[in-house]
Amino acid sequence: MIKADIGNTAGRIWQYLDKNGESTLADIKRDLMLRGSAVRMALGWLARENKIFFYGDEDNLSIILLY
């Protein structure tokens, strides 16, 4: 996966969270039809930019968009 693809996926996730609010990792993967690795890389991008907040445990991870 190239950097541009990761950035595009991060943008899709940001828009999803903006529209749907707090979501689980499983919801994001299912609703956006993304592979786990693509989601994790994009979430890392968003986390690095302080755009999201994680809470919960590894089995039930929730993500909140920070504005």
Side-chain angles (χ1 to χ4, degrees):
M1 182 169 250
I2 61 173
K3 191 174 182 178
D5 293 333
I6 297 167
N8 289 334
T9 302
R12 288 181 61 201
I13 293 172
W14 191 96
Q15 291 173 347
Y16 176 87
L17 292 170
D18 186 46
K19 179 181 176 186
N20 297 291
E22 178 182 331
S23 300
T24 66
L25 180 60
D27 291 338
I28 293 168
K29 286 174 23 179
R30 181 192 65 235
D31 293 346
L32 294 179
M33 294 183 281
L34 294 169
R35 294 175 307 145
S37 61
V39 172
R40 284 183 172 79
M41 285 186 270
L43 289 173
W45 179 303
L46 293 169
R48 179 76 169 109
E49 293 184 345
N50 295 316
K51 303 285 185 189
I52 56 175
F53 175 76
F54 300 97
Y55 73 94
D57 59 32
E58 192 172 321
D59 294 327
N60 193 23
L61 188 64
S62 292
I63 299 109
I64 299 171
L65 186 62
L66 301 174
Y67 291 94

